[in-house]
Amino acid sequence: MSIDKSILELEKLLPFLEIGNHKVSKAGIAWHLDHSLKVINSVCDDLKIVKSTKIKPTHSFIKSYVFLTGNIPRGKAKAPKQVVSTDNIIKETVEEQLILAKNNLTDMKKLPTKNYFSHPYFGMLSLKKSLRFLEIHTNHHLKIVNDILKNND
């Protein structure tokens, strides 16, 4: 699913922020939405910074697996602190991040292709690969949220 469609899916989940299911995930829906939006906004902000360094390709099995399959294995990675909220997540904050993410994604598509994002596990990602990463990452969290909702009887 494209990042634009994923953003719309995140928006549809706003009424369910209070729902959680520890059998599926330690974190509730609010956390997954907040985290997904923080990642989108953080990556977009980083991409806007013009860098003079050439992209140095990094190769790893996990990076190849994730980009080839479009799947992030659950529970295998720890999110960096800057994209994890320690505060109580409220609807207004998520809504503000959603608006910012939509604007950032529009801006991102206008950036020079030479811009890149430095991922903590995957290394330097080109603009195109950064967009693909955002699609994969957001869809990963949407799958978890859908499992929370499906198993919340």
Side-chain angles (χ1 to χ4, degrees):
M1 176 182 329
S2 75
I3 191 64
D4 296 320
K5 288 182 181 177
S6 296
I7 286 285
L8 296 175
E9 289 301 311
L10 290 173
E11 192 168 20
K12 289 178 188 175
L13 291 164
L14 286 172
F16 306 102
L17 289 179
E18 301 299 320
I19 297 175
N21 183 331
H22 288 295
K23 292 177 184 173
V24 175
S25 173
K26 292 178 191 173
I29 291 175
W31 186 91
H32 287 282
L33 268 61
D34 179 76
H35 170 68
S36 295
L37 293 165
K38 276 183 172 29
V39 168
I40 291 167
N41 290 322
S42 174
V43 170
C44 289
D45 285 346
D46 199 41
L47 281 164
K48 290 176 187 175
I49 300 168
V50 178
K51 302 164 187 91
S52 59
T53 309
K54 285 188 176 184
I55 295 176
K56 299 171 193 148
T58 53
H59 302 285
S60 73
F61 172 76
I62 191 69
K63 177 183 175 184
S64 298
Y65 172 82
V66 168
F67 278 84
L68 183 65
T69 65
N71 182 43
I72 298 173
R74 288 190 189 180
K76 298 295 180 194
K78 185 172 168 101
K81 289 180 184 175
Q82 67 265 26
V83 291
V84 175
S85 185
T86 55
D87 299 329
N88 187 27
I89 300 164
I90 58 172
K91 186 176 182 179
E92 290 77 14
T93 305
V94 176
E95 289 171 333
E96 288 169 9
Q97 288 184 81
L98 189 61
I99 292 166
L100 182 59
K102 287 177 180 180
N103 292 333
N104 275 331
L105 287 169
T106 299
D107 292 346
M108 181 181 164
K109 293 171 186 169
K110 299 174 189 171
L111 292 173
T113 56
K114 67 179 179 169
N115 289 24
Y116 66 88
F117 162 65
S118 183
H119 187 277
Y121 299 112
F122 301 150
M124 296 167 78
L125 300 178
S126 67
L127 180 64
K128 185 177 178 181
K129 288 250 186 208
S130 296
L131 184 58
R132 176 75 175 129
F133 164 72
L134 290 177
E135 291 171 352
I136 293 168
H137 181 267
T138 306
N139 289 325
H140 167 74
H141 286 281
L142 282 169
K143 287 177 194 173
I144 295 170
V145 167
N146 287 328
D147 285 350
I148 290 170
L149 289 171
K150 188 171 30 175
N151 294 297
N152 196 43
D153 298 330

